Amino acid sequence: MPQIFEGDNSPPAGRFAIVAARFNSLIVDALLAGALDALKRHGVGDDCIDVVRVPGSFEIPVVAQKLGEAEKYAAIICLGAVIKGDTDHYDHVAGAATSGIAQVALTCGIPVIFGVLTCENLELAQNRAGGKAGNKGYEAAATAVEMVNLMGKLEQTR
Ligand code: INI
């Protein structure tokens, strides 16, 4: 039998940072509430969570990178909502946030979780921020917990 490594939902070790955009704050505040709820349910105390607010999703990667470089956090959870408008601004903001967040994860070597909604309209975003499609902020934080536990297990094999 091969050895299988998988993260689980047990209370994770270490600190968590959440970087949340203020743009589309009605949506992002709901994602943030979901993320905090998930961390609490997984046994992460408030004293182990730092929340950093940034103007928009475009600003998330540089702040996530600064937090990652500080080597204080087990994971960083990025929350934002990019909603399509009349111009192609959406594509630029969504693309920069997506590739920037992915890059920070690889540069810093910790889980940097992509909890940025990219939606055609407000209704679709509402569905994903506590509506009928669940709360993607909650899911992002649950993913962070699983990944921290997985990284811990992989660390033990070194
Ligand atoms: N920022 C978002 O987080 N979501 C959006 O939908 C959005 N739109 O559509 O413009 C948005 N723009 C602001 C952007 O993130 C930066 O804050 C701004 O461009 C300054 O750098």
Side-chain angles (χ1 to χ4, degrees):
M1 264 298 266
Q3 200 175 354
I4 297 173
F5 297 95
E6 198 172 1
D8 56 33
N9 295 324
S10 59
R15 300 186 62 76
F16 287 74
I18 301 175
V19 185
R22 280 197 311 272
F23 204 101
N24 290 321
S25 60
L26 230 58
I27 300 295
V28 181
D29 288 353
L31 297 177
L32 178 58
L36 292 171
D37 183 35
L39 290 176
K40 188 176 181 180
R41 286 172 189 270
H42 287 83
V44 181
D46 279 349
D47 55 329
C48 290
I49 305 170
D50 292 327
V51 177
V52 183
R53 299 305 297 249
V54 296
S57 297
F58 190 84
E59 283 71 39
I60 291 175
V62 69
V63 171
Q65 178 161 298
K66 189 169 180 63
L67 296 170
E69 283 169 350
E71 296 186 1
K72 267 176 25 183
Y73 299 102
I76 300 170
I77 300 158
C78 300
L79 303 176
V82 191
I83 300 174
K84 206 165 188 135
D86 295 334
T87 69
D88 64 358
H89 198 66
Y90 161 96
D91 297 300
H92 296 292
V93 174
T98 306
S99 57
I101 290 167
Q103 195 183 313
V104 173
L106 297 178
T107 304
C108 298
I110 58 169
V112 182
I113 308 301
F114 185 66
V116 178
L117 299 180
T118 56
C119 297
E120 284 289 316
N121 57 52
L122 183 62
E123 189 189 349
L124 291 175
Q126 283 167 331
N127 290 346
R128 288 159 179 73
K132 61 185 176 195
N135 187 314
K136 299 298 169 189
Y138 187 102
E139 290 176 21
T143 300
V145 169
E146 179 181 335
M147 284 298 292
V148 166
N149 287 332
L150 174 60
M151 296 301 249
K153 286 182 183 174
L154 294 176
E155 200 62 40
Q156 284 166 20
T157 68
R158 293 178 59 194

